[in-house]
Amino acid sequence: MTARIGVVTFPGSLDDRDTQRAIRIAGAEPVALWHKDKDLKQVDAVVLCGGFSYGDYLRAGAIARFSPVMEPLIDQARAGLPVLGICNGFQILTEAHLLPGAMLGNDHLHFICRDQKLRVENAETSWTTDYSAGQEIHIPLKNMDGRYVADDYTLDQLEAEGRVAFRYVARDGVADEHYNPNGSLRDIAGITNEAGNVVGLMPHPEHAVESLIGTGRTDGLPFFTSILKKLVTA
């Protein structure tokens, strides 16, 4: 039976079709979910894609958090449903308190769009098992509000519990003081919840699943093959 992975579209979402394509390439069935849906159509996992939900008015992800689709999503995520939040989806997950901390405007106050090098810190979540801890990958990044912040207690807890999933790192052989693209504390690019079923990150793995587009690599594909293997063996 083919795994079914939902992709939520909010007003202002940009990457829902790209995410659906990545899921299809990995071998699962993408299921379109609309922000007004009050059920998740019995999907096996959910992706909150990138974009500017509700125009990022008020605060990035703050309005989307109260969309009808979020009520069943929050309940099921807390019960173990795998959920991946990419960029705006990461912002929504923090607003919904499924992940700790918050996302603020980039420290340089500019939108950024570039290929970004990351280090995989946690390869044991539902979305990262096809990576290896310490592996360095290249994923496209595009955001305005990508600065991850949290109080010291929360940051220390994330570090101690191995819940930092990805970190920004400098490119090989390049002395790049701007390797951290948005001022995220402790170079954090992505985190996971305690159970490992909810993951959020700012870069866009759905744009790195085919060698002809994005970075010219397929470094993002393991996100989608990881969850597929997780669902098949569950």
Side-chain angles (χ1 to χ4, degrees), residues 91-111:
Q91 296 161 347
I92 294 169
L93 290 176
T94 61
E95 291 289 340
H97 303 297
L98 287 172
L99 291 175
M103 310 302 301
L104 300 181
N106 298 341
D107 58 353
H108 46 71
L109 302 180
H110 294 287
F111 180 84

mmCIF file of all heavy atoms in Angstrom, residues 91-111:
data_model
loop_
_atom_site.group_PDB
_atom_site.id
_atom_site.type_symbol
_atom_site.label_atom_id
_atom_site.label_comp_id
_atom_site.label_asym_id
_atom_site.label_seq_id
_atom_site.Cartn_x
_atom_site.Cartn_y
_atom_site.Cartn_z
ATOM 1 N N GLN A 91 8.105 28.017 10.680
ATOM 2 C CA GLN A 91 7.558 29.150 11.433
ATOM 3 C C GLN A 91 6.196 28.796 12.032
ATOM 4 O O GLN A 91 5.909 29.120 13.197
ATOM 5 C CB GLN A 91 7.446 30.360 10.502
ATOM 6 C CG GLN A 91 8.788 30.867 9.990
ATOM 7 C CD GLN A 91 8.670 31.731 8.753
ATOM 8 O OE1 GLN A 91 7.625 31.784 8.098
ATOM 9 N NE2 GLN A 91 9.758 32.423 8.408
ATOM 10 N N ILE A 92 5.359 28.111 11.247
ATOM 11 C CA ILE A 92 4.029 27.719 11.737
ATOM 12 C C ILE A 92 4.154 26.732 12.896
ATOM 13 O O ILE A 92 3.414 26.820 13.884
ATOM 14 C CB ILE A 92 3.203 27.122 10.591
ATOM 15 C CG1 ILE A 92 2.908 28.191 9.528
ATOM 16 C CG2 ILE A 92 1.876 26.547 11.114
ATOM 17 C CD1 ILE A 92 2.329 27.634 8.238
ATOM 18 N N LEU A 93 5.094 25.807 12.811
ATOM 19 C CA LEU A 93 5.274 24.820 13.881
ATOM 20 C C LEU A 93 5.692 25.477 15.192
ATOM 21 O O LEU A 93 5.277 25.044 16.278
ATOM 22 C CB LEU A 93 6.305 23.772 13.467
ATOM 23 C CG LEU A 93 5.874 22.807 12.360
ATOM 24 C CD1 LEU A 93 7.030 21.885 11.987
ATOM 25 C CD2 LEU A 93 4.657 21.991 12.778
ATOM 26 N N THR A 94 6.499 26.533 15.121
ATOM 27 C CA THR A 94 6.869 27.228 16.358
ATOM 28 C C THR A 94 5.686 28.020 16.891
ATOM 29 O O THR A 94 5.457 28.067 18.100
ATOM 30 C CB THR A 94 8.077 28.155 16.149
ATOM 31 O OG1 THR A 94 7.775 29.165 15.175
ATOM 32 C CG2 THR A 94 9.299 27.370 15.702
ATOM 33 N N GLU A 95 4.909 28.627 15.988
ATOM 34 C CA GLU A 95 3.728 29.379 16.428
ATOM 35 C C GLU A 95 2.698 28.451 17.071
ATOM 36 O O GLU A 95 1.965 28.845 17.980
ATOM 37 C CB GLU A 95 3.096 30.123 15.241
ATOM 38 C CG GLU A 95 3.932 31.266 14.695
ATOM 39 C CD GLU A 95 3.975 32.463 15.632
ATOM 40 O OE1 GLU A 95 3.085 32.587 16.504
ATOM 41 O OE2 GLU A 95 4.913 33.277 15.497
ATOM 42 N N ALA A 96 2.625 27.211 16.591
ATOM 43 C CA ALA A 96 1.676 26.230 17.125
ATOM 44 C C ALA A 96 2.227 25.521 18.354
ATOM 45 O O ALA A 96 1.542 24.674 18.933
ATOM 46 C CB ALA A 96 1.336 25.203 16.049
ATOM 47 N N HIS A 97 3.459 25.844 18.741
ATOM 48 C CA HIS A 97 4.127 25.248 19.905
ATOM 49 C C HIS A 97 4.322 23.745 19.755
ATOM 50 O O HIS A 97 4.434 23.026 20.757
ATOM 51 C CB HIS A 97 3.354 25.557 21.195
ATOM 52 C CG HIS A 97 3.165 27.025 21.439
ATOM 53 N ND1 HIS A 97 4.229 27.884 21.634
ATOM 54 C CD2 HIS A 97 2.044 27.785 21.490
ATOM 55 C CE1 HIS A 97 3.774 29.115 21.804
ATOM 56 N NE2 HIS A 97 2.453 29.084 21.709
ATOM 57 N N LEU A 98 4.405 23.288 18.506
ATOM 58 C CA LEU A 98 4.827 21.914 18.287
ATOM 59 C C LEU A 98 6.347 21.816 18.314
ATOM 60 O O LEU A 98 6.900 20.735 18.507
ATOM 61 C CB LEU A 98 4.289 21.408 16.939
ATOM 62 C CG LEU A 98 2.783 21.113 16.919
ATOM 63 C CD1 LEU A 98 2.319 20.799 15.496
ATOM 64 C CD2 LEU A 98 2.435 19.966 17.862
ATOM 65 N N LEU A 99 6.999 22.940 18.102
ATOM 66 C CA LEU A 99 8.441 23.058 18.265
ATOM 67 C C LEU A 99 8.722 24.303 19.093
ATOM 68 O O LEU A 99 8.006 25.303 18.975
ATOM 69 C CB LEU A 99 9.140 23.170 16.909
ATOM 70 C CG LEU A 99 9.123 21.916 16.020
ATOM 71 C CD1 LEU A 99 9.742 22.225 14.656
ATOM 72 C CD2 LEU A 99 9.844 20.752 16.684
ATOM 73 N N PRO A 100 9.772 24.277 19.913
ATOM 74 C CA PRO A 100 10.073 25.427 20.776
ATOM 75 C C PRO A 100 10.793 26.541 20.030
ATOM 76 O O PRO A 100 11.310 26.339 18.927
ATOM 77 C CB PRO A 100 10.983 24.813 21.843
ATOM 78 C CG PRO A 100 11.711 23.729 21.111
ATOM 79 C CD PRO A 100 10.699 23.147 20.154
ATOM 80 N N GLY A 101 10.822 27.717 20.645
ATOM 81 C CA GLY A 101 11.527 28.845 20.067
ATOM 82 C C GLY A 101 10.646 29.661 19.146
ATOM 83 O O GLY A 101 9.427 29.488 19.103
ATOM 84 N N ALA A 102 11.291 30.556 18.392
ATOM 85 C CA ALA A 102 10.552 31.449 17.496
ATOM 86 C C ALA A 102 11.455 31.835 16.334
ATOM 87 O O ALA A 102 12.677 31.698 16.393
ATOM 88 C CB ALA A 102 10.104 32.702 18.243
ATOM 89 N N MET A 103 10.817 32.329 15.262
ATOM 90 C CA MET A 103 11.544 32.783 14.090
ATOM 91 C C MET A 103 11.388 34.297 13.961
ATOM 92 O O MET A 103 10.261 34.808 13.929
ATOM 93 C CB MET A 103 11.008 32.106 12.827
ATOM 94 C CG MET A 103 10.887 30.593 12.903
ATOM 95 S SD MET A 103 12.442 29.742 13.265
ATOM 96 C CE MET A 103 13.449 30.273 11.889
ATOM 97 N N LEU A 104 12.508 35.007 13.885
ATOM 98 C CA LEU A 104 12.502 36.459 13.725
ATOM 99 C C LEU A 104 13.104 36.840 12.380
ATOM 100 O O LEU A 104 13.656 36.002 11.666
ATOM 101 C CB LEU A 104 13.296 37.118 14.858
ATOM 102 C CG LEU A 104 12.803 36.869 16.286
ATOM 103 C CD1 LEU A 104 13.688 37.606 17.271
ATOM 104 C CD2 LEU A 104 11.349 37.284 16.443
ATOM 105 N N GLY A 105 13.030 38.121 12.049
ATOM 106 C CA GLY A 105 13.603 38.604 10.797
ATOM 107 C C GLY A 105 15.100 38.380 10.746
ATOM 108 O O GLY A 105 15.792 38.417 11.779
ATOM 109 N N ASN A 106 15.622 38.138 9.560
ATOM 110 C CA ASN A 106 17.061 37.952 9.389
ATOM 111 C C ASN A 106 17.824 39.127 9.995
ATOM 112 O O ASN A 106 17.381 40.278 9.913
ATOM 113 C CB ASN A 106 17.406 37.838 7.897
ATOM 114 C CG ASN A 106 16.750 36.633 7.245
ATOM 115 O OD1 ASN A 106 16.343 35.698 7.919
ATOM 116 N ND2 ASN A 106 16.661 36.663 5.919
ATOM 117 N N ASP A 107 18.967 38.849 10.585
ATOM 118 C CA ASP A 107 19.694 39.897 11.303
ATOM 119 C C ASP A 107 20.174 41.013 10.384
ATOM 120 O O ASP A 107 20.385 42.141 10.829
ATOM 121 C CB ASP A 107 20.869 39.308 12.102
ATOM 122 C CG ASP A 107 21.865 38.561 11.237
ATOM 123 O OD1 ASP A 107 21.614 38.362 10.025
ATOM 124 O OD2 ASP A 107 22.924 38.156 11.777
ATOM 125 N N HIS A 108 20.310 40.731 9.072
ATOM 126 C CA HIS A 108 20.725 41.758 8.118
ATOM 127 C C HIS A 108 19.527 42.462 7.476
ATOM 128 O O HIS A 108 19.705 43.354 6.650
ATOM 129 C CB HIS A 108 21.615 41.150 7.039
ATOM 130 C CG HIS A 108 21.087 39.865 6.471
ATOM 131 N ND1 HIS A 108 19.990 39.795 5.655
ATOM 132 C CD2 HIS A 108 21.515 38.589 6.631
ATOM 133 C CE1 HIS A 108 19.763 38.541 5.321
ATOM 134 N NE2 HIS A 108 20.674 37.771 5.906
ATOM 135 N N LEU A 109 18.318 42.032 7.846
ATOM 136 C CA LEU A 109 17.066 42.674 7.420
ATOM 137 C C LEU A 109 16.808 42.588 5.920
ATOM 138 O O LEU A 109 16.068 43.397 5.361
ATOM 139 C CB LEU A 109 17.040 44.148 7.861
ATOM 140 C CG LEU A 109 17.187 44.394 9.365
ATOM 141 C CD1 LEU A 109 17.139 45.885 9.657
ATOM 142 C CD2 LEU A 109 16.109 43.664 10.153
ATOM 143 N N HIS A 110 17.393 41.584 5.264
ATOM 144 C CA HIS A 110 17.184 41.399 3.840
ATOM 145 C C HIS A 110 16.690 39.980 3.567
ATOM 146 O O HIS A 110 17.043 39.042 4.280
ATOM 147 C CB HIS A 110 18.480 41.638 3.047
ATOM 148 C CG HIS A 110 18.966 43.045 3.101
ATOM 149 N ND1 HIS A 110 18.358 44.076 2.425
ATOM 150 C CD2 HIS A 110 20.015 43.590 3.761
ATOM 151 C CE1 HIS A 110 19.012 45.208 2.657
ATOM 152 N NE2 HIS A 110 20.018 44.932 3.474
ATOM 153 N N PHE A 111 15.891 39.841 2.502
ATOM 154 C CA PHE A 111 15.536 38.510 2.016
ATOM 155 C C PHE A 111 16.797 37.856 1.466
ATOM 156 O O PHE A 111 17.616 38.513 0.817
ATOM 157 C CB PHE A 111 14.478 38.630 0.917
ATOM 158 C CG PHE A 111 14.043 37.314 0.341
ATOM 159 C CD1 PHE A 111 13.053 36.559 0.963
ATOM 160 C CD2 PHE A 111 14.611 36.827 -0.825
ATOM 161 C CE1 PHE A 111 12.641 35.350 0.433
ATOM 162 C CE2 PHE A 111 14.206 35.622 -1.369
ATOM 163 C CZ PHE A 111 13.221 34.873 -0.736
#
